[in-house]
Amino acid sequence: MNVGILGLGLIGGSLARAYSKAGHKVYAYDQDASMLGFAQLAGVVNGVLEGEAITSCELILLAIYAKGSVDWLERNCERISKNTTVIDCCGIKQGICERCFPLAKEHGFTFIGGHPMAGSHNSGFKYSRSNLFQGAPMVLVPPRFDDPELLQHAEELLSPCNFGSFSVTTAAEHDKMIAFTSQMPHIVSNAYIKSPTASSHKGFSAGSYKDLTRVAWLNPQMWAELFLSNKENILFELNSYIESLQKYKDALIREDENHLIALLDEGRRRKEEVDG
Protein backbone atom coordinates (compact mmCIF):
# COMPACT_ATOMS: atom_id res chain seq x y z
CA MET A 1 0.00 0.00 0.00
CA ASN A 2 0.98 3.65 -0.27
CA VAL A 3 1.76 5.26 3.08
CA GLY A 4 2.15 8.97 3.74
CA ILE A 5 4.23 10.22 6.66
CA LEU A 6 4.33 13.82 7.81
CA GLY A 7 7.60 14.48 9.61
CA LEU A 8 10.84 12.49 9.58
CA GLY A 9 12.03 12.89 13.13
CA LEU A 10 12.54 9.95 15.47
CA ILE A 11 8.90 8.80 15.30
CA GLY A 12 8.19 9.64 11.67
CA GLY A 13 11.55 8.32 10.53
CA SER A 14 11.01 5.06 12.40
CA LEU A 15 7.54 4.73 10.89
CA ALA A 16 9.01 5.30 7.43
CA ARG A 17 11.67 2.66 8.01
CA ALA A 18 9.13 0.13 9.34
CA TYR A 19 6.77 0.51 6.37
CA SER A 20 9.61 0.62 3.83
CA LYS A 21 11.11 -2.55 5.32
CA ALA A 22 7.71 -4.24 5.04
CA GLY A 23 7.65 -3.49 1.32
CA HIS A 24 5.22 -0.57 1.26
CA LYS A 25 5.66 2.57 -0.81
CA VAL A 26 6.40 5.53 1.46
CA TYR A 27 5.72 9.17 0.66
CA ALA A 28 6.94 11.70 3.21
CA TYR A 29 7.27 15.38 3.91
CA ASP A 30 9.63 17.18 6.26
CA GLN A 31 10.28 20.91 6.51
CA ASP A 32 13.98 20.09 6.39
CA ALA A 33 14.44 19.45 2.65
CA SER A 34 17.92 18.00 3.17
CA MET A 35 16.54 15.45 5.62
CA LEU A 36 13.84 14.45 3.16
CA GLY A 37 16.46 14.11 0.44
CA PHE A 38 18.64 11.96 2.69
CA ALA A 39 15.70 9.67 3.48
CA GLN A 40 15.09 9.27 -0.25
CA LEU A 41 18.75 8.55 -0.97
CA ALA A 42 18.71 5.97 1.85
CA GLY A 43 15.84 4.19 0.09
CA VAL A 44 13.48 4.74 3.03
CA VAL A 45 11.21 7.23 1.24
CA ASN A 46 9.98 6.81 -2.34
CA GLY A 47 8.62 10.29 -2.96
CA VAL A 48 7.33 13.55 -1.54
CA LEU A 49 3.97 13.66 0.23
CA GLU A 50 2.27 16.27 -1.92
CA GLY A 51 -0.34 16.56 -4.69
CA GLU A 52 -1.45 13.26 -6.17
CA ALA A 53 0.77 11.32 -3.77
CA ILE A 54 -1.50 12.42 -0.92
CA THR A 55 -4.57 11.14 -2.78
CA SER A 56 -2.92 7.80 -3.49
CA CYS A 57 -2.20 7.00 0.16
CA GLU A 58 -4.33 4.42 1.98
CA LEU A 59 -2.74 5.46 5.27
CA ILE A 60 -1.36 8.83 6.36
CA LEU A 61 0.56 9.16 9.64
CA LEU A 62 1.02 12.60 11.17
CA ALA A 63 4.27 12.64 13.16
CA ILE A 64 4.92 16.30 13.91
CA TYR A 65 3.65 18.68 16.61
CA ALA A 66 -0.10 18.77 17.16
CA LYS A 67 -0.61 22.27 15.74
CA GLY A 68 1.46 21.49 12.67
CA SER A 69 -0.42 18.24 12.12
CA VAL A 70 -3.79 19.96 12.25
CA ASP A 71 -2.64 22.80 10.01
CA TRP A 72 -1.34 20.31 7.41
CA LEU A 73 -4.58 18.33 7.50
CA GLU A 74 -6.66 21.49 7.06
CA ARG A 75 -4.57 22.53 4.06
CA ASN A 76 -4.70 19.11 2.40
CA CYS A 77 -8.06 17.65 3.46
CA GLU A 78 -9.56 18.06 -0.02
CA ARG A 79 -6.77 15.94 -1.53
CA ILE A 80 -7.30 13.02 0.86
CA SER A 81 -9.24 10.06 -0.53
CA LYS A 82 -12.40 8.81 1.15
CA ASN A 83 -10.65 5.43 1.43
CA THR A 84 -7.80 6.91 3.45
CA THR A 85 -7.25 6.51 7.18
CA VAL A 86 -5.31 9.30 8.88
CA ILE A 87 -3.70 8.56 12.27
CA ASP A 88 -1.79 11.14 14.25
CA CYS A 89 1.09 10.29 16.57
CA CYS A 90 1.00 13.33 18.82
CA GLY A 91 1.51 13.30 22.58
CA ILE A 92 -1.87 14.88 23.35
CA LYS A 93 -5.26 13.96 21.99
CA GLN A 94 -8.06 16.35 23.01
CA GLY A 95 -7.04 19.37 20.99
CA ILE A 96 -6.16 17.46 17.84
CA CYS A 97 -9.20 15.14 17.94
CA GLU A 98 -11.61 18.02 18.53
CA ARG A 99 -10.39 19.66 15.33
CA CYS A 100 -9.71 16.61 13.17
CA PHE A 101 -12.80 14.44 13.79
CA PRO A 102 -15.14 17.06 12.26
CA LEU A 103 -12.69 17.74 9.43
CA ALA A 104 -12.57 14.05 8.50
CA LYS A 105 -16.35 13.72 8.69
CA GLU A 106 -16.82 16.74 6.44
CA HIS A 107 -14.43 15.42 3.77
CA GLY A 108 -15.27 11.72 4.03
CA PHE A 109 -11.99 10.19 5.18
CA THR A 110 -11.29 8.50 8.53
CA PHE A 111 -9.30 10.13 11.31
CA ILE A 112 -8.13 8.21 14.39
CA GLY A 113 -6.14 9.69 17.22
CA GLY A 114 -3.02 7.71 18.00
CA HIS A 115 -0.06 7.72 20.38
CA PRO A 116 2.77 5.18 19.98
CA MET A 117 4.20 4.65 23.44
CA ALA A 118 7.81 4.42 22.34
CA GLY A 119 10.66 6.85 21.94
CA SER A 120 14.12 7.89 23.02
CA HIS A 121 15.86 10.87 24.59
CA ASN A 122 17.55 11.24 21.19
CA SER A 123 15.64 12.93 18.39
CA GLY A 124 15.91 13.15 14.63
CA PHE A 125 15.93 10.86 11.63
CA LYS A 126 19.48 9.67 12.29
CA TYR A 127 18.29 7.94 15.47
CA SER A 128 15.23 6.37 13.84
CA ARG A 129 15.01 2.61 13.42
CA SER A 130 12.52 0.18 11.93
CA ASN A 131 12.04 -1.73 15.21
CA LEU A 132 11.42 1.27 17.49
CA PHE A 133 7.81 0.20 18.05
CA GLN A 134 8.50 -3.53 18.40
CA GLY A 135 6.41 -4.77 21.33
CA ALA A 136 5.40 -1.23 22.39
CA PRO A 137 1.84 -0.20 23.31
CA MET A 138 -0.19 1.88 20.86
CA VAL A 139 -3.07 4.02 22.12
CA LEU A 140 -5.99 4.66 19.75
CA VAL A 141 -8.72 7.27 20.07
CA PRO A 142 -11.42 6.44 17.50
CA PRO A 143 -14.19 8.80 16.39
CA ARG A 144 -16.75 6.23 17.58
CA PHE A 145 -16.62 3.25 19.93
CA ASP A 146 -19.31 1.06 18.35
CA ASP A 147 -17.32 0.05 15.27
CA PRO A 148 -14.99 -2.92 15.94
CA GLU A 149 -14.23 -3.20 12.21
CA LEU A 150 -12.73 0.30 12.27
CA LEU A 151 -10.36 -0.66 15.08
CA GLN A 152 -9.47 -3.95 13.41
CA HIS A 153 -8.70 -2.07 10.19
CA ALA A 154 -6.50 0.39 12.11
CA GLU A 155 -4.56 -2.46 13.70
CA GLU A 156 -4.07 -4.06 10.28
CA LEU A 157 -2.82 -0.78 8.80
CA LEU A 158 -0.35 -0.43 11.68
CA SER A 159 0.85 -4.06 11.58
CA PRO A 160 4.26 -3.25 9.98
CA CYS A 161 5.18 -1.43 13.21
CA ASN A 162 4.75 -4.65 15.26
CA PHE A 163 3.14 -2.97 18.26
CA GLY A 164 2.82 -5.24 21.27
CA SER A 165 -0.66 -4.09 22.30
CA PHE A 166 -3.43 -1.65 21.46
CA SER A 167 -5.41 0.39 23.97
CA VAL A 168 -8.62 2.20 23.05
CA THR A 169 -9.71 5.23 25.03
CA THR A 170 -11.18 8.72 24.86
CA ALA A 171 -9.11 11.81 24.16
CA ALA A 172 -9.83 13.17 27.64
CA GLU A 173 -8.78 9.96 29.40
CA HIS A 174 -5.66 9.71 27.27
CA ASP A 175 -4.52 13.21 28.19
CA LYS A 176 -5.25 12.61 31.87
CA MET A 177 -3.16 9.42 31.93
CA ILE A 178 -0.34 10.76 29.78
CA ALA A 179 0.14 13.70 32.16
CA PHE A 180 1.06 11.14 34.82
CA THR A 181 2.92 8.48 32.82
CA SER A 182 4.89 10.66 30.41
CA GLN A 183 4.74 14.39 30.95
CA MET A 184 5.33 14.44 34.71
CA PRO A 185 8.44 12.21 34.50
CA HIS A 186 9.93 14.66 31.99
CA ILE A 187 9.25 17.61 34.30
CA VAL A 188 10.60 15.80 37.37
CA SER A 189 13.73 14.67 35.54
CA ASN A 190 14.34 18.09 34.03
CA ALA A 191 13.94 19.83 37.39
CA TYR A 192 16.01 17.28 39.34
CA ILE A 193 19.11 17.71 37.15
CA LYS A 194 19.22 21.45 38.00
CA SER A 195 20.58 20.71 41.48
CA PRO A 196 23.95 22.44 42.03
CA THR A 197 25.27 19.03 43.13
CA ALA A 198 24.71 17.56 39.65
CA SER A 199 27.95 18.94 38.25
CA SER A 200 29.94 16.74 40.65
CA HIS A 201 27.98 13.50 40.29
CA LYS A 202 30.55 11.51 38.27
CA GLY A 203 31.97 8.66 40.26
CA PHE A 204 29.04 8.74 42.67
CA SER A 205 26.11 7.86 40.39
CA ALA A 206 24.77 4.60 39.02
CA GLY A 207 21.43 3.18 37.90
CA SER A 208 19.13 5.34 40.02
CA TYR A 209 20.69 8.55 38.69
CA LYS A 210 20.63 7.33 35.09
CA ASP A 211 17.00 6.21 35.30
CA LEU A 212 15.83 9.47 36.83
CA THR A 213 17.74 11.83 34.54
CA ARG A 214 17.42 10.05 31.18
CA VAL A 215 14.48 12.12 29.94
CA ALA A 216 15.88 15.44 31.18
CA TRP A 217 17.56 15.46 27.76
CA LEU A 218 14.48 16.50 25.79
CA ASN A 219 13.24 18.68 22.95
CA PRO A 220 12.25 21.91 24.80
CA GLN A 221 9.96 23.31 22.10
CA MET A 222 8.02 20.09 21.65
CA TRP A 223 7.56 19.39 25.34
CA ALA A 224 6.61 22.98 26.16
CA GLU A 225 3.82 22.77 23.57
CA LEU A 226 2.65 19.43 24.99
CA PHE A 227 2.69 20.73 28.58
CA LEU A 228 0.71 23.86 27.74
CA SER A 229 -1.79 21.87 25.70
CA ASN A 230 -2.42 19.61 28.69
CA LYS A 231 -2.05 22.25 31.40
CA GLU A 232 -4.90 21.29 33.74
CA ASN A 233 -3.96 17.61 33.93
CA ILE A 234 -0.30 18.42 34.51
CA LEU A 235 -1.12 20.97 37.22
CA PHE A 236 -3.16 18.32 39.02
CA GLU A 237 -0.20 15.91 38.94
CA LEU A 238 2.29 18.62 39.91
CA ASN A 239 0.19 19.70 42.89
CA SER A 240 -0.15 16.09 44.04
CA TYR A 241 3.60 15.55 43.73
CA ILE A 242 4.52 18.78 45.52
CA GLU A 243 2.13 17.86 48.34
CA SER A 244 3.85 14.49 48.72
CA LEU A 245 7.33 16.00 48.61
CA GLN A 246 6.36 18.46 51.33
CA LYS A 247 5.53 15.54 53.64
CA TYR A 248 9.02 14.08 53.19
CA LYS A 249 10.56 17.51 53.74
CA ASP A 250 8.56 18.11 56.92
CA ALA A 251 9.53 14.68 58.33
CA LEU A 252 13.22 15.43 57.70
CA ILE A 253 13.02 18.88 59.29
CA ARG A 254 11.38 17.39 62.38
CA GLU A 255 13.78 14.42 62.33
CA ASP A 256 10.67 12.27 62.62
CA GLU A 257 12.06 8.86 61.72
CA ASN A 258 8.79 7.01 62.31
CA HIS A 259 6.88 9.31 59.96
CA LEU A 260 9.63 9.07 57.35
CA ILE A 261 9.54 5.26 57.54
CA ALA A 262 5.75 5.37 57.16
CA LEU A 263 6.00 7.61 54.08
CA LEU A 264 8.62 5.39 52.46
CA ASP A 265 6.62 2.25 53.22
CA GLU A 266 3.50 3.86 51.80
CA GLY A 267 5.35 4.55 48.54
CA ARG A 268 6.75 1.02 48.42
CA ARG A 269 3.30 -0.50 48.93
CA ARG A 270 1.77 1.84 46.35
CA LYS A 271 4.34 0.72 43.77
CA GLU A 272 3.44 -2.90 44.50
CA GLU A 273 -0.28 -2.14 44.17
CA VAL A 274 -0.07 -0.39 40.81
CA ASP A 275 2.62 -2.53 39.15
CA GLY A 276 2.37 -5.90 40.88
Side-chain angles (χ1 to χ4, degrees):
M1 68 178 168
N2 289 352
V3 180
I5 297 175
L6 178 64
L8 287 172
L10 175 68
I11 299 299
S14 296
L15 290 168
R17 290 183 186 278
Y19 281 92
S20 178
K21 185 177 180 180
H24 300 289
K25 195 168 186 178
V26 176
Y27 294 96
Y29 177 81
D30 193 280
Q31 63 179 0
D32 185 343
S34 63
M35 185 60 64
L36 179 59
F38 178 78
Q40 288 179 282
L41 286 173
V44 176
V45 171
N46 301 98
V48 182
L49 184 63
E50 59 184 6
E52 291 301 315
I54 295 174
T55 307
S56 74
C57 290
E58 183 179 338
L59 172 65
I60 296 177
L61 298 162
L62 309 179
I64 61 173
Y65 300 169
K67 184 181 183 303
S69 292
V70 174
D71 290 346
W72 184 90
L73 200 60
E74 288 178 339
R75 289 196 307 270
N76 293 283
C77 55
E78 294 184 356
R79 295 188 177 94
I80 298 174
S81 167
K82 289 178 171 58
N83 298 319
T84 300
T85 298
V86 180
I87 301 175
D88 85 280
C89 299
C90 301
I92 56 154
K93 293 275 78 76
Q94 276 192 283
I96 196 166
C97 287
E98 285 173 0
R99 292 179 65 183
C100 293
F101 283 153
L103 196 64
K105 184 176 181 181
E106 178 184 353
H107 293 275
F109 60 88
T110 300
F111 178 85
I112 300 174
H115 189 179
M117 303 305 298
S120 166
H121 60 278
N122 294 312
S123 60
F125 184 79
K126 68 178 180 178
Y127 294 106
S128 65
R129 61 183 194 273
S130 62
N131 64 347
L132 179 67
F133 311 106
Q134 180 80 40
M138 175 64 169
V139 182
L140 297 176
V141 178
R144 52 190 182 277
F145 290 85
D146 59 351
D147 190 349
E149 291 183 2
L150 172 64
L151 295 172
Q152 182 179 349
H153 183 56
E155 291 185 20
E156 291 171 355
L157 289 172
L158 293 167
S159 60
C161 300
N162 293 310
F163 287 108
S165 64
F166 288 89
S167 299
V168 181
T169 187
T170 65
E173 184 63 20
H174 168 276
D175 289 359
K176 176 183 176 182
M177 293 304 302
I178 221 67
F180 172 73
T181 63
S182 177
Q183 294 173 338
M184 269 296 292
H186 282 79
I187 291 175
V188 171
S189 179
N190 197 263
Y192 171 79
I193 199 64
K194 294 175 184 177
S195 166
T197 313
S199 59
S200 304
H201 81 86
K202 292 181 180 179
F204 296 87
S205 56
S208 297
Y209 170 83
K210 291 178 182 178
D211 289 345
L212 185 54
T213 59
R214 182 180 65 84
V215 293
W217 193 359
L218 46 67
N219 181 325
Q221 182 180 350
M222 181 186 78
W223 283 99
E225 180 179 320
L226 290 171
F227 294 157
L228 290 171
S229 299
N230 201 22
K231 181 180 72 171
E232 296 305 322
N233 287 318
I234 293 177
L235 285 174
F236 172 81
E237 297 298 340
L238 268 174
N239 287 333
S240 298
Y241 188 56
I242 291 169
E243 182 180 343
S244 291
L245 287 177
Q246 187 63 49
K247 293 178 181 178
Y248 292 91
K249 181 179 179 180
D250 290 344
L252 285 166
I253 291 171
R254 297 194 308 268
E255 297 187 10
D256 189 339
E257 183 177 3
N258 288 334
H259 190 208
L260 189 57
I261 290 171
L263 289 171
L264 294 169
D265 190 56
E266 180 186 23
R268 180 195 61 78
R269 286 186 286 106
R270 185 59 176 151
K271 170 64 175 176
E272 186 176 358
E273 289 172 5
V274 298
D275 290 334

